[in-house]
Amino acid sequence: SALPEKKMIFKGLTANKEDMNKLMLTPLIHYPLPGGSALITFEEAEVAQRIMEMREHTVELSCGELEELDQCRVRVQAVPVDILLPSTLEIRLTQSSRSILVSDLPSLDISKEALLDKLELFFSKTKNGGSEVESREFLQDSHQVVLTFTQDGVAEPLIERGHIQVPIGKGKYTIKISPCMSGDISNLQLQPSRCPRTVLLLGIPDVLSEESMRDALEIHFQKASRGGGEVDALAYVPAGRTGVAVFVESTG
């Protein structure tokens, strides 16, 4: 219920008929980062676990930028990174009775509006199996068009044909006609998941430049004597600013 409404276009291809009703989800999680924090990802999950168990860490800084002190220390807290991942997604699909999906469109040196005009002109003629067109729309991020007719019963015979030749300019091009399916999410379940190799560091004061603080944190947490290990990645957000980390599915 907390998810915003968003239109999405599914462009997946199925190789086997058995896969027609399956949907693969690839998580792309946006995680807000407060000021004075850092995300550190270790190469080994055991190191991240050890750092979190220690909770509080005293990091020595090289304070050449601070004239009064030769050396100073800051205390930071290490906490786990918990995110919500979709575990179940069910979509209720319905086929439009008055719309068709037009694809395999040629790449021509004309504007999208001009191409839409050509398609509307062709499909509005009864001799081509069409009827009056109520609306036409290019799908976002997709070279496909949805044509909607004012009458029922026009779309189905066109869909059964599958392909049709359309004159555009001086050429004739074979385009594909498919049913126009729309879907609503009928069931979405999320489950909490803890990032095994990533730790969130909090309470980092703004006493060094961004690059110097990032280096100091990485030096400290890669030392085995401090419970650390090899660092895979580190992102630091200075106090007074905010950031967003993007988590993708691990391929390793």
Side-chain angles (χ1 to χ4, degrees):
S1 59
L3 292 175
E5 284 193 8
K6 180 176 176 62
K7 285 188 176 181
M8 294 182 288
I9 300 169
F10 291 89
K11 297 186 288 186
L13 300 176
T14 55
N16 303 313
K17 196 172 182 180
E18 294 75 25
D19 296 333
M20 290 291 285
N21 293 320
K22 295 179 182 177
L23 182 65
M24 292 274 299
L25 286 178
T26 303
L28 186 68
I29 308 297
H30 290 73
Y31 188 89
L33 295 175
S37 71
L39 268 185
I40 182 167
T41 301
F42 296 96
E43 291 187 358
E44 301 292 336
E46 293 80 4
V47 177
Q49 184 64 33
R50 191 162 60 238
I51 292 297
M52 285 185 287
E53 288 174 354
M54 295 170 68
R55 295 184 67 85
E56 191 169 271
H57 299 263
T58 301
V59 180
E60 291 186 1
L61 305 179
S62 175
C63 296
E65 300 173 33
L66 302 178
E67 298 178 0
E68 299 177 2
L69 299 172
D70 293 325
Q71 195 175 51
C72 61
R73 298 178 177 88
V74 297
R75 289 183 177 179
V76 300
Q77 289 76 45
V79 298
V81 177
D82 293 319
I83 57 179
L84 289 174
L85 292 177
S87 58
T88 301
L89 175 62
E90 295 177 4
I91 298 177
R92 185 187 299 111
L93 292 175
T94 54
Q95 180 176 335
S96 172
S97 61
R98 294 194 291 127
S99 299
I100 59 173
L101 181 68
V102 181
S103 56
D104 290 352
L105 294 169
S107 296
L108 302 173
D109 192 21
I110 60 175
S111 68
K112 285 187 174 182
E113 279 301 314
L115 182 55
L116 288 173
D117 287 342
K118 298 289 186 184
L119 292 173
E120 180 175 352
L121 187 62
F122 178 86
F123 283 101
S124 63
K125 295 179 178 178
T126 54
K127 68 177 183 179
N128 296 328
S131 179
E132 181 182 346
V133 175
E134 183 180 275
S135 65
R136 76 270 178 94
E137 174 191 11
F138 257 104
L139 291 180
Q140 186 179 0
D141 300 326
S142 169
H143 197 56
Q144 299 177 341
V145 171
V146 173
L147 291 177
T148 301
F149 299 100
T150 57
Q151 300 175 14
D152 289 329
V154 179
E156 194 60 40
L158 289 171
I159 293 168
E160 288 177 1
R161 292 174 69 172
H163 293 82
I164 193 169
Q165 275 201 334
V166 178
I168 303 175
K170 295 180 180 179
K172 277 193 170 185
Y173 303 91
T174 300
I175 63 173
K176 184 178 179 181
I177 304 174
S178 307
C180 183
M181 308 292 292
S182 60
D184 295 306
I185 294 176
S186 57
N187 183 20
L188 173 62
Q189 296 178 19
L190 303 172
Q191 65 177 15
S193 178
R194 178 160 294 180
C195 296
R197 297 189 297 116
T198 301
V199 177
L200 177 62
L201 305 176
L202 298 172
I204 305 171
D206 190 15
V207 294
L208 293 180
S209 69
E210 187 173 341
E211 184 177 356
S212 297
M213 181 61 80
R214 192 163 51 238
D215 289 345
L217 291 169
E218 185 164 353
I219 289 170
H220 175 89
F221 284 101
Q222 71 181 4
K223 290 181 179 178
S225 60
R226 302 295 177 91
E230 287 294 327
V231 174
D232 191 23
L234 189 147
Y236 165 58
V237 181
R241 290 164 56 182
T242 56
V244 175
V246 179
F247 288 90
V248 297
E249 192 173 35
S250 175
T251 56

